[in-house]
Amino acid sequence: MNLKLTMSKIERVCVFGAGTLGWQIALQCANHEHPVNLYDLFPQALKNAERNIANELESWGQAGNFSAEVKNSTLQLLKFEPDPIKAVAGVDLVIEAVPEKLELKRTVFQELDATCDADTIISTNSSSIRVSLIEGVTKRMDRVLNTHFYSNPWKSRIVELMRGSMTSDETMASVGVFMRSIWVLPLIVQRESTGFILNRVWRSVKKECLHLVDDGVASFEDVDRAWMSFYGTKIGPFGLMDRVGLDVVRDIENVYYGESRDPRDLPPRLLLDKIGRGELGVKTSRGFYSYPNPAYLDPGWLEP
Ligand code: NAD
């Protein structure tokens, strides 16, 4: 099969779900000249998305590398659409970004399958649910896949693509070309994998760091210092867990444990105790560090 000849071009996009990742993905698409309909079940979420996008564009403008002209053309390409039927009408790709609940995603996919054009590709941004668990509710199993973006795609610049059981080569190729057009690098997950690629690497790092501290081998500060010094990063694994949210970290560890049943995969006591005290990270102003001024930002943090 000659993919170049059969591949359809993705121009128009709908992002279905306008929360943390939804508005960011929509902005990335519009900023790279694709018309986008952003939909959410809740009108307030659409309003918040509009405000978040305006703030983000404002900060790009202040940073000096974003002209008023590009800002206007980006905004013109973005439509905040409260009607789900209109949101998907005539689009080539729908990126679903609703909360991480299997039954919800299956319901949404079923609705999308019924309302989208026959040739529209539908993807899920899920962090831990494989599309093969969702695809069966659709009649287009060759045109569904996982497209896993990371937050702030204009900085993270990668997306992981993973097939379902019947996703076609043409679908993978079209989506891959589209991702490059919005300036994110598509990384191909060659076999189904919970955690895709990067999150599996992060999972091992996170798990080992938590056990190092839980076992009393090192303080979390020294683990972060070791990481930050050696890899030259501005944040260490514990700072990063605080950003993600310690309750979210626990839930993700439980997903891995659910698959492996290995007791070392269970969230360690150290993490559960913090959550029990309501210390969930940046969002509660306290996790491993205290916010808004965590110690790892102190000028002397890495000094001998
Ligand atoms: P979120 O809770 O911030 O946003 C979800 C949005 O979906 C909300 O605005 C909600 O109102 C809306 N919604 C709920 N039900 C809906 C429905 N039936 N139809 C349309 N919209 C509906 O969640 P999020 O963090 O943006 O995560 C979305 C998806 O992206 C999840 O699958 C998550 O695993 C994945 N993801 C999140 C991150 C992250 O850093 N937050 C990173 C990568 C992937």
Side-chain angles (χ1 to χ4, degrees), residues 16-22 39-42 45 97-100 104-105 108 125-127 148-149 151:
F16 211 83
T20 313
L21 256 279
Y39 166 78
D40 201 284
L41 183 61
F42 300 100
V98 304
E100 190 71 344
L104 173 62
K105 290 197 187 270
V108 166
N125 192 52
S126 171
S127 299
H148 183 239
F149 285 83
S151 62

